Amino acid sequence: MDNYRIAIVVGSLREGSINRKIARSMCGMRGDGLECSMVEIGDLPLYNQDYDALPHQPEAYTRFRDQIAAADGILFCTPEYNRGVPGVLKNAIDVGSRPYGKSIWNKKPAAIISASPGAIGGFGANHQLRQACVFLDMPVMQQPEAYLGHVTDDSFDSDGCLKEGPLKDLVAKLAHAFHDWVDMIHRSRAALA
Ligand code: FNR
């Protein structure tokens, strides 16, 4: 079975982020097929198009773009802020999308998970991010949808792993579906090449 390198991008900088814990738990559930690494976005300077013309890019931009470019797939796990994508994640999306014609998101298979203590499970942020992925030409896993509501610190044990229950079962399902999604995209591209 193929092992895919997955870049995890979390839309929260909070130390105890539930989204970060979900992303970690999910990768652990498919350890045999997904080789996950966290790509940090908190140090990316706010995107400014003037940077595109500079001979040297900000160091954090280069590090971030190289990490994403090396990945076989992207797992976004994000909170919703005011019914939308948190600014820090939108900034990372913009940084990766430029300079024009050099987007590192191009054609990367992805999955989007949003988690919230609220009932709607970050639906607004999830779909706003999907909208950006359409423009960026990223094939995003459609099902199962992942608007994880009622997620709190209590959903995790003291090691930050998901406790047994329906949420953990759903996240395990997502892990397997995401592996199969990335696998299908890469295999069909290889067959067409
Ligand atoms: C929130 N929160 C929130 N929740 C939600 O379901 N819909 C929303 O629109 C918002 N808006 C919002 C704005 C801001 C500025 C903050 C700080 C928070 C609550 C949010 O879901 C909660 O704090 C999560 O725990 C954040 O995710 P992490 O950081 O735990 O991953």
Side-chain angles (χ1 to χ4, degrees):
M1 179 194 304
D2 287 326
N3 221 22
Y4 294 105
R5 290 161 302 172
I6 303 300
I8 304 176
V9 182
V10 175
S12 170
L13 305 182
R14 195 170 78 86
E15 205 180 319
S17 164
I18 54 173
N19 282 278
R20 191 172 284 259
K21 287 190 234 177
I22 293 273
R24 280 215 190 95
S25 295
M26 180 167 153
C27 284
M29 288 167 185
R30 190 61 215 238
D32 57 337
L34 301 179
E35 201 183 290
C36 298
S37 52
M38 207 60 83
V39 175
E40 299 302 335
I41 59 174
D43 60 340
L44 298 175
L46 283 180
Y47 177 72
N48 176 338
Q49 200 177 346
D50 287 340
Y51 286 139
D52 294 357
L54 297 178
H56 299 292
Q57 296 290 295
E59 208 177 301
Y61 278 21
T62 305
R63 186 266 312 156
F64 174 74
R65 288 169 176 157
D66 288 350
Q67 284 178 305
I68 297 293
D72 299 313
I74 314 291
L75 172 61
F76 293 107
C77 214
T78 186
E80 174 178 83
Y81 279 0
N82 302 305
R83 294 285 180 257
V85 176
V88 70
L89 178 52
K90 183 58 168 62
N91 185 52
I93 294 283
D94 295 341
V95 168
S97 71
R98 292 285 163 146
Y100 182 78
K102 293 190 175 163
S103 169
I104 42 76
W105 304 114
N106 197 32
K107 303 213 167 9
K108 298 269 182 202
I112 301 176
I113 295 177
S114 51
S116 166
I120 305 172
F123 175 89
N126 192 306
H127 274 258
Q128 212 175 55
L129 191 50
R130 279 174 187 272
Q131 203 175 314
C133 290
V134 170
F135 184 65
L136 295 168
D137 204 7
M138 300 176 77
V140 178
M141 184 172 78
Q142 304 299 310
Q143 295 288 341
E145 293 172 287
Y147 321 114
L148 309 181
H150 305 294
V151 182
T152 64
D153 287 342
D154 203 39
S155 308
F156 305 91
D157 65 21
S158 52
D159 293 327
C161 299
L162 277 166
K163 292 178 182 169
E164 296 301 324
L167 177 61
K168 184 172 176 180
D169 295 344
L170 173 57
V171 173
K173 212 167 145 185
L174 286 165
H176 286 84
F178 185 43
H179 173 272
D180 293 350
W181 177 248
V182 175
D183 190 50
M184 187 190 75
I185 301 280
H186 283 284
R187 281 180 193 277
S188 38
R189 280 186 192 148
L192 289 170

